[in-house]
Amino acid sequence: MDTGRRKIKIVVMDKHFLYLPLYYAKYRNFFGFVPRNYELEIVLSAGHTDESAYQMLMDSGYGKNTEVDFAVADPSVTLNTSNSFEGTPAILASLITNTAFWAVDRKTHQIVLPKDLADFQKIIAFKPGTTSHSIAQRIFRDASKSPSIQPVNPSQELIALQKSTNTVALSPDILGIDHLLFYQKHFNIDLALGTTQEFSNVFMTAFLSRQDVVEQHRPLVMGLLKALQLSLILVRAQAPDLIEYAADRFGDSKDRVRSALNRAEQAQVFPPSIEVSVASWMNAAKIWYESGDRQFLSDEQKEAKLRFQNIAQPHLSLAKAAIDELYSQVSTTNRTLSTWKSALRTSGAAALCFGVATAVVKWCHWSGIGVLLLSTTLAILLASWLRLNRASSTWFLHWFYCAAIQFVILAWLSPELKALIPIQTFIPVTIAATLLFLEIRLVHDEHKKLTEGSG
């Protein structure tokens, strides 16, 4: 038993699908970037709000919520001056840099601008102390109407929507939304808030800590930042292993996961870099102030900029250093691996081509070489067009069908093998036609998935 390991907790407001970069990094043991003397655990906030997660983080170092040294929450919670904590918060990284909320209803209202959502009898949102509730308040304020908000816990907003009428739900659960729209066609996304002028380029979700943690555990902080950056890259790339993990964790199909991530990409939810932007911070501050019925004028802007300078700017260099180290490590590793892989693949391909060409010339008609080249080229083009993930089940099936069709045709062109087949034309043609039908069906199904995912 290793008694030297320190237990560290990362608190999140709830189990959101959009926290996938953090969950996947934890699943992959933070890609080995975190020193071995730390044991990390992800826990839920007591109140299922951003305020609750922030309070647990800031109370941790002073006798309460022990071991909570990091939090994932809306960074605008740090603007609440009514909270009095002994420590100083630290904004380390950005995980979501656009308004990751979608307005969903039954296609009952014409929605053009966010303020049009106030035409519904109620807006279903999370409880006070959350980004969702602040956005709902801002919507009613812009429409010059009294707020009529139905507060629910996270993951309950879509359930409440289905049980009510003349309501619209503000939801960040893009996987749940995609599932709902796929199986219940009468529901619709009225508005992706991140695509609107009012709610675009907004710093929505941050990786937070405290100044004392940054000072005392710098290797841990750097390791986490590198892991989160790499995880963000894999989420945006929709890596096959990540898709499998997300489908298993959230209990949905891989197709629904891909479709949800495509919608998130369209709304530019996940940033390419964990680096914090002052512009997106100021947009988040504007929403926070205005949701509390305060104009975002010069005094408020000065407050927001000063807060950024105190709790975010001192740590910008950490994120940049983490990214530089990560890319340096990946570049060096890939350069070494790519050299060996390229040499092995070239040698293997050359040996295979030589062997196949020899067999074709010796056992088949000369036209077999043309069939081999044409069918292999077509198979490569189809795999690229369908964006098949290398080593996936569909990828293997595609190449099995193509190789089997080639084998049947080459066997049919071989005089020696034709002599062994009692019915010289019917059997090979039937087998080839069956394999061709299966390949056409696979191409049709995969192209349909691509079309639906980008729709």
Side-chain angles (χ1 to χ4, degrees):
M1 181 176 180
D2 186 5
T3 57
R5 289 171 64 85
R6 176 188 170 96
K7 191 168 186 178
I8 300 289
K9 292 181 180 179
I10 304 172
V11 61
V12 297
M13 69 163 288
D14 209 273
K15 300 176 182 178
H16 290 311
F17 174 75
L18 292 177
Y19 291 170
L20 186 57
L22 173 66
Y23 295 137
Y24 186 64
K26 174 67 168 60
Y27 167 72
R28 293 293 301 272
N29 196 25
F30 297 97
F31 308 100
F33 293 132
V34 172
R36 295 184 179 181
N37 56 314
Y38 294 100
E39 178 183 349
L40 283 86
E41 178 185 2
I42 299 174
V43 298
L44 296 180
S45 65
H48 301 282
T49 65
D50 295 285
E51 286 279 1
S52 174
Y54 179 57
Q55 184 173 357
M56 289 176 66
L57 168 67
M58 298 308 297
D59 284 343
S60 175
Y62 305 94
K64 301 178 182 179
N65 302 306
T66 56
E67 302 171 340
V68 175
D69 286 338
F70 299 95
V72 174
D74 184 339
S76 63
V77 295
T78 61
L79 292 167
N80 189 353
T81 56
S82 63
N83 292 324
S84 57
F85 302 110
E86 294 185 38
T88 302
I91 297 179
L92 299 177
S94 61
L95 297 182
I96 296 176
T97 52
N98 214 1
T99 303
F101 280 90
W102 290 261
V104 185
D105 93 311
R106 296 176 176 83
K107 308 178 184 178
T108 56
H109 288 267
Q110 183 69 31
I111 304 299
V112 178
L113 301 172
K115 67 179 182 180
D116 296 335
L117 297 173
D119 292 339
F120 288 90
Q121 186 178 8
K122 286 186 178 181
I123 294 180
I124 301 171
F126 300 155
K127 296 181 294 184
T130 63
T131 308
S132 172
H133 199 274
S134 296
I135 291 175
Q137 287 181 308
R138 164 78 182 271
I139 289 170
F140 281 111
R141 178 185 178 277
D142 289 348
S144 300
K145 293 183 179 180
S146 298
S148 180
I149 303 172
Q150 180 180 339
V152 297
N153 284 325
S155 77
Q156 297 299 307
E157 69 277 9
L158 297 179
I159 297 174
L161 175 67
Q162 296 174 69
K163 293 180 179 179
S164 59
T165 57
N166 198 21
T167 58
V168 62
L170 296 181
S171 176
D173 184 9
I174 192 59
L175 180 60
I177 293 172
D178 193 270
H179 188 96
L180 178 68
L181 268 56
F182 184 80
Y183 291 103
Q184 300 190 45
K185 304 298 184 182
H186 56 285
F187 284 97
N188 179 61
I189 293 179
D190 288 329
L191 198 65
L193 294 179
T195 63
T196 66
Q197 182 178 355
E198 296 92 328
F199 295 99
S200 64
N201 190 28
V202 177
F203 189 8
M204 291 291 295
T205 304
F207 187 62
L208 306 171
S209 186
R210 299 187 311 275
Q211 181 64 37
D212 62 288
V213 176
V214 176
E215 293 173 354
Q216 298 172 20
H217 304 281
R218 185 182 174 89
L220 168 64
V221 172
M222 289 293 291
L224 286 171
L225 292 178
K226 285 193 284 187
L228 290 174
Q229 176 64 59
L230 180 54
S231 193
L232 269 176
I233 293 171
L234 296 173
V235 168
R236 287 169 59 90
Q238 298 187 26
D241 181 65
L242 177 134
I243 297 294
E244 291 183 12
Y245 165 76
D248 181 64
R249 178 181 178 86
F250 294 98
D252 216 320
S253 68
K254 296 179 184 178
D255 289 339
R256 298 278 63 78
V257 169
R258 291 191 188 95
S259 181
L261 290 177
N262 285 336
R263 292 185 190 275
E265 182 180 1
Q266 291 167 10
Q268 300 180 10
V269 167
F270 296 114
S273 168
I274 60 172
E275 291 180 279
V276 177
S277 161
V278 65
S280 62
W281 160 263
M282 293 300 288
N283 289 336
K286 184 175 188 293
I287 293 175
W288 184 84
Y289 279 106
E290 292 182 348
S291 67
D293 291 329
R294 292 179 61 183
Q295 294 287 336
F296 194 57
L297 302 177
S298 59
D299 288 343
E300 287 77 13
Q301 293 175 22
K302 288 178 182 177
E303 286 181 13
K305 287 181 180 179
L306 182 61
R307 193 63 172 160
F308 183 87
Q309 292 171 2
N310 289 336
I311 65 175
Q313 195 163 318
H315 313 295
L316 296 181
S317 59
L318 286 176
K320 187 179 186 310
I323 294 172
D324 291 344
E325 287 183 22
L326 171 67
Y327 286 163
S328 176
Q329 291 173 351
V330 171
S331 175
T332 303
T333 303
N334 283 347
R335 195 179 301 118
T336 304
L337 291 177
S338 62
T339 302
W340 282 101
K341 285 183 178 180
S342 178
L344 289 173
R345 286 176 182 173
T346 303
S347 301
L352 180 63
C353 291
F354 178 78
V356 172
T358 301
V360 168
V361 172
K362 183 175 182 179
W363 299 105
C364 298
H365 189 267
W366 63 268
S367 60
I369 295 179
V371 171
L372 181 67
L373 292 174
L374 180 62
S375 58
T376 302
T377 301
L378 182 61
I380 294 172
L381 291 175
L382 280 173
S384 176
W385 179 56
L386 296 173
R387 303 177 189 174
L388 298 182
N389 294 318
R390 183 179 294 274
S392 66
S393 58
T394 308
W395 184 84
F396 279 117
L397 199 59
H398 163 70
W399 280 105
F400 170 76
Y401 290 151
C402 293
I405 292 172
Q406 287 180 340
F407 177 78
V408 171
I409 295 176
L410 293 177
W412 185 62
L413 292 173
S414 170
E416 289 81 359
L417 292 178
K418 285 178 68 174
L420 299 176
I421 302 175
I423 306 176
Q424 294 185 4
T425 58
F426 179 72
I427 293 178
V429 171
T430 302
I431 295 175
T434 302
L435 290 168
L436 182 61
F437 171 77
L438 293 173
E439 172 65 9
I440 291 173
R441 183 175 179 180
L442 181 146
V443 171
H444 174 268
D445 291 344
E446 290 302 308
H447 181 256
K448 185 177 179 181
K449 291 177 185 178
L450 279 177
T451 304
E452 289 178 351
S454 59

